[in-house]
Amino acid sequence: MTDALYGAIEAGGTKFRIAVGTSPDLIADTTIPTTTPDETIGASIEFLEHYAGQLKAVGIASFGPLDLDPSSATYGSIIRTPKPGWTGTPFRELITDALGVPVAIDVDVGGAAIGEWTWGAARGLDTFIYMTVGTGVGGGIFAGGRIHHGMGHPELGHIAVAREPDDDFAGHCPFHGACFEGMAAGPAISARWGERVTDLVDRPEVWDLEARYIAQALRTLTYVVAPQRIIVGGGVNRNEGLLGLVRDKLSDQLAGYGTNPVVDSDLTDYVVSPEFGQDAGLVGAIALAAGLDH
Amino acid sequence: MTDALYGAIEAGGTKFRIAVGTSPDLIADTTIPTTTPDETIGASIEFLEHYAGQLKAVGIASFGPLDLDPSSATYGSIIRTPKPGWTGTPFRELITDALGVPVAIDVDVGGAAIGEWTWGAARGLDTFIYMTVGTGVGGGIFAGGRIHHGMGHPELGHIAVAREPDDDFAGHCPFHGACFEGMAAGPAISARWGERVTDLVDRPEVWDLEARYIAQALRTLTYVVAPQRIIVGGGVNRNEGLLGLVRDKLSDQLAGYGTNPVVDSDLTDYVVSPEFGQDAGLVGAIALAAGLDH
């Protein structure tokens, strides 16, 4: 007898990772460049077809925006992305049709949130946030034991932040200028300081300011969502000590106010790193597939 | 045969309103001043006892903060309020014990949100926000067909906003200075312009600035919660035309960005007034009671 497996697709803007497994310990995986939908989704299907007899379900954690309304005729499609050729791709349907198994789809950060909830830093929680701060800002919200979508899906990068008093950077978001992403994502850091982020690692003033903007976003999310935990991943969190700084600044900013008991804690268990880091999307896709199977 | 009724208590900081009914058309109601828990809750019980044979359930929409964790030993109690004598009052338990019927409790804005969802401006919606901007800022979030609490409950007043370029007001929140409430609630408006809000009605620059701050908060909430609608009530919305201004500013600020289809609309159906205005809390309490009865 062969064991059942889940298929996983982490669809990124520059590469796809495809894997099979039943847990975060993947049994097989491969990485291919993102070119055209035909070619890249075709190659993903080809990889998964090797396990056709064992596949029980497939999970997709994809770049967005996606149509995530299950009642929509285009559910599981990619919508109006600037990525040439991909707008309107019926991603979920293509995989379902080719493999004949149930397919779950979510945005990359939504998938990553479910992965952390199933096996990682958010196990057992009812309400938490998974946020990445890197080239852009993304985030998934888990509320009342399930992923929250609303209309479309959350876009945590574009919330308002107050300009820090010692910062005169105009902001880097093409839509909103000085929104959170426009002030705190990697390209904003580079543009503000005139150097690549990797060359700024030893400049404490860079990370002190960065921590204050991240803390502003986490304060807003604390007061809107009232989560039990906020997981902060993405490129900027590779800077050792950043989350410690973020906790200090967030504690200052919350100023003990609110009904969430975390406001009186040292925030060590509240602001945490993801458990799966680079593999968050792939593990999330496995978790999405596993979620279908019950 | 006598018809079944629901009891409703809207508990405010200065007055309690108590009513019975089965819908927003109340059958009887009374208003009493808020003094001590013994006296005020006692009088509420006395009013409701007249209908003891008919009461099927009671709903409470109360000032907070409240313990809203159903698994807590102090579920339904008022927690650390500055209001003398009320901290620790087991509000829900007192009503349950006196009347022997199921009792539902939520914060005032949570109750009002449920009232609007059951009979008002949010009928049939899955995800929406109810926000009041008045003496303070409060808000309830309805997500995935139910009221969202998280840990404690949302505190929408204390989210971050960017200072508007033509505004040098320091901010009026004792905890966060220039947070949304500190820049946009009634006391902030008065402090900024040096006059009572009622004397500022004919000053367009006051309401232009106010609309921009409210729009910032709605932009943040749009990107975090991805709601289908945002209901804006409270004292400031008594200014005719304010919501129209808010829609214009919000449209500018969203700049067409996001997966929520409202970003491409004129926002007329997105940013709306509550249907129940002054009665929101009482109608909400009836709705809370009705929600128990199925």
Side-chain angles (χ1 to χ4, degrees), chain A residues 24-49:
Chain A
D25 302 317
L26 306 172
I27 287 165
D29 74 278
T30 187
T31 301
I32 57 175
T34 307
T35 59
T36 64
D38 273 4
E39 201 168 78
T40 314
I41 294 178
S44 305
I45 290 168
E46 204 173 302
F47 176 87
L48 293 174
E49 274 174 340

Side-chain angles (χ1 to χ4, degrees), chain A residues 2 6 37 40 42 53 56 97 104-105 107 128 135 142 146 163 173 189 209 233 241 243 251 264 266 270:
Chain A
T2 47
Y6 303 123
T40 314
K56 289 187 77 175
D97 289 354
I105 188 167
V107 285
F128 71 95
T135 310
F142 213 83
R146 54 190 173 171
R163 177 177 301 283
C173 173
I189 300 174
L209 184 63
L243 283 202
S251 180
D264 297 321
D266 68 2
Y270 185 60

Side-chain angles (χ1 to χ4, degrees), chain A residues 209-276:
Chain A
L209 184 63
E210 179 69 9
R212 280 180 276 149
Y213 282 117
I214 295 175
Q216 281 200 45
L218 301 195
R219 183 186 105 200
T220 287
L221 293 170
T222 297
Y223 288 138
V224 176
V225 179
Q228 294 161 287
R229 186 167 295 160
I230 303 178
I231 301 172
V232 181
V236 304
N237 190 21
R238 280 181 219 136
N239 291 276
E240 206 179 327
L242 181 65
L243 283 202
L245 263 182
V246 169
R247 287 186 200 108
D248 289 348
K249 309 292 185 188
L250 177 57
S251 180
D252 291 349
Q253 289 187 24
L254 291 169
Y257 180 83
T259 52
N260 190 330
V262 300
V263 304
D264 297 321
S265 82
D266 68 2
L267 306 181
T268 308
D269 292 331
Y270 185 60
V271 178
V272 305
S273 292
E275 199 154 306
F276 298 117

Side-chain angles (χ1 to χ4, degrees), chain A residues 144 146 148 151 155 223 225-226, chain B residues 144 146 148 151 155 223 225-226 258:
Chain A
R146 54 190 173 171
H148 172 70
M151 291 280 278
E155 313 265 1
Y223 288 138
V225 179
Chain B
R146 55 190 172 170
H148 173 70
M151 291 279 277
E155 312 265 0
Y223 288 137
V225 178

Side-chain angles (χ1 to χ4, degrees), chain A residues 81-261:
Chain A
T81 170
K83 211 170 164 47
W86 286 81
T87 295
T89 300
F91 200 165
R92 181 175 172 277
E93 188 182 337
L94 289 169
I95 303 295
T96 306
D97 289 354
L99 297 170
V101 295
V103 176
I105 188 167
D106 212 310
V107 285
D108 39 18
V109 286
I114 291 173
E116 294 290 341
W117 180 68
T118 309
W119 294 299
R123 268 191 307 273
L125 299 188
D126 180 78
T127 300
F128 71 95
I129 293 167
Y130 174 91
M131 188 169 82
T132 59
V133 185
T135 310
V137 171
I141 295 176
F142 213 83
R146 54 190 173 171
I147 194 84
H148 172 70
H149 289 134
M151 291 280 278
H153 43 74
E155 313 265 1
L156 301 188
H158 300 274
I159 64 178
V161 290
R163 177 177 301 283
E164 290 291 329
D166 51 340
D167 183 26
D168 62 4
F169 179 59
H172 203 262
C173 173
F175 297 96
H176 311 112
C179 64
F180 174 48
E181 181 170 300
M183 294 305 254
I189 300 174
S190 288
R192 177 188 288 111
W193 300 96
E195 298 194 48
R196 290 178 304 178
V197 174
T198 45
D199 294 333
L200 292 164
V201 171
D202 295 325
R203 300 265 298 274
E205 68 277 24
V206 172
W207 304 105
D208 186 89
L209 184 63
E210 179 69 9
R212 280 180 276 149
Y213 282 117
I214 295 175
Q216 281 200 45
L218 301 195
R219 183 186 105 200
T220 287
L221 293 170
T222 297
Y223 288 138
V224 176
V225 179
Q228 294 161 287
R229 186 167 295 160
I230 303 178
I231 301 172
V232 181
V236 304
N237 190 21
R238 280 181 219 136
N239 291 276
E240 206 179 327
L242 181 65
L243 283 202
L245 263 182
V246 169
R247 287 186 200 108
D248 289 348
K249 309 292 185 188
L250 177 57
S251 180
D252 291 349
Q253 289 187 24
L254 291 169
Y257 180 83
T259 52
N260 190 330

Side-chain angles (χ1 to χ4, degrees), chain B residues 253-264:
Chain B
Q253 289 188 22
L254 291 170
Y257 180 83
T259 51
N260 190 330
V262 300
V263 304
D264 297 321

Side-chain angles (χ1 to χ4, degrees), chain B residues 107-127:
Chain B
V107 285
D108 39 18
V109 285
I114 291 172
E116 294 290 341
W117 180 69
T118 309
W119 294 298
R123 269 191 307 272
L125 300 187
D126 180 78
T127 300

Side-chain angles (χ1 to χ4, degrees), chain A residues 48-70:
Chain A
L48 293 174
E49 274 174 340
H50 294 140
Y51 306 90
Q54 292 166 268
L55 275 190
K56 289 187 77 175
V58 173
I60 304 170
S62 176
F63 67 88
L66 300 177
D67 180 346
L68 293 178
D69 176 1

